[in-house]
Amino acid sequence: TRNSRFAKIRSLYLSVYPYLHMTQEGSILAYNFSYLLGKTAYFSPWSHLLRLVVRRVTAADASSPSSSPGMSQLTDEKIARVRNIAIGVVSSILVFGWLAKWRIELRRLRRQKMTDPPFPPPPQIRIDQNLRLRPATDPKCCPLCQQPRIHPVASTSGFVFCKRCLTLYVRDHGKCPLTGHECPESRLIRLYEAQEVVDRQ
């Protein structure tokens, strides 16, 4: 059908256009460099196609009687200096453009890596032997009292206890009872169950 044919033509155009555009821009850039270096009389492929010559002023033109008074001041040294400046400007633009694209690509890759960071492994459990403590087999139980957690609170290591059990322990020891990491009372995190919030409302 006409729609499928149009879709094929469109997909073909989209796949070929970047290469055509790159070829066009590359040919224009090559002509510009060749023109600045004096290798060709045409400054673009379109001027070459139209046989349009943009002639630069030379020392002979500057010394000719028909030239204007200002043209006589143009020497080969000044022309070479202007040419070098033009080459430097074009080269700087190309280098800065490439650096900008490189920076954008690095930022995109960095953002892509940061979107899905890996989860760190849990800290190693180092149980205080004086407590005769063992990890709770039921994930809903507190490791200290071995009972269902009441007002769950997380330590700095990420393990969850009863609020009263963990608060009393860190006041005396200042560390997590399972890992031994530093855990002041001010850094305890209160956790809320969804059902608990609904019941309060």
Side-chain angles (χ1 to χ4, degrees):
T1 61
R2 180 179 299 179
N3 292 335
S4 61
R5 187 180 303 173
F6 178 76
K8 291 181 180 179
I9 295 175
R10 182 175 180 273
S11 61
L12 178 63
Y13 173 76
L14 291 177
S15 61
V16 174
Y17 173 76
Y19 301 100
L20 295 177
H21 183 71
M22 182 177 63
T23 303
Q24 175 191 352
E25 295 296 330
S27 62
I28 292 175
L29 181 62
Y31 266 90
N32 289 338
F33 266 108
S34 300
Y35 180 77
L36 288 174
L37 297 175
K39 302 296 183 180
T40 181
Y42 306 102
F43 64 92
S44 69
W46 315 121
S47 63
H48 194 175
L49 182 64
L50 297 173
R51 301 294 179 181
L52 178 62
V53 178
V54 179
R55 189 168 177 272
R56 293 173 292 175
V57 178
T58 62
D61 296 329
S63 60
S64 62
S66 59
S67 61
S68 60
M71 292 294 182
S72 61
Q73 299 178 358
L74 293 176
T75 62
D76 291 337
E77 183 180 355
K78 292 183 179 180
I79 293 174
R81 186 180 303 172
V82 172
R83 182 188 304 170
N84 293 333
I85 292 175
I87 293 174
V89 170
V90 173
S91 302
S92 301
I93 292 174
L94 291 176
V95 170
F96 281 112
W98 180 81
L99 288 176
K101 292 182 179 179
W102 178 66
R103 183 178 179 184
I104 292 173
E105 183 67 17
L106 283 181
R107 188 178 300 174
R108 185 186 66 82
L109 293 175
R110 188 180 304 168
R111 188 178 299 128
Q112 185 178 359
K113 290 181 180 179
M114 293 177 61
T115 52
D116 192 14
F119 287 100
Q124 185 178 1
I125 296 178
R126 299 176 181 176
I127 299 176
D128 190 351
Q129 300 297 331
N130 297 328
L131 290 177
R132 296 180 181 178
L133 184 66
R134 66 182 186 277
T137 56
D138 189 350
K140 294 183 179 180
C141 290
C142 171
L144 288 172
C145 64
Q146 300 294 322
Q147 299 295 325
R149 289 190 296 264
I150 300 176
H151 305 304
V153 174
S155 67
T156 54
S157 301
F159 292 97
V160 184
F161 306 82
C162 296
K163 182 178 185 297
R164 182 176 181 277
C165 297
L166 185 58
T167 302
L168 293 177
Y169 184 87
V170 298
R171 284 179 182 174
D172 295 336
H173 301 85
K175 60 183 180 179
C176 175
L178 288 181
T179 63
H181 294 175
E182 182 181 358
C183 181
E185 184 179 356
S186 60
R187 295 182 61 184
L188 300 182
I189 300 176
R190 175 73 165 91
L191 303 179
Y192 297 93
E193 300 289 346
Q195 187 61 38
E196 181 181 356
V197 177
V198 172
D199 294 341
R200 288 189 176 184
Q201 292 178 351

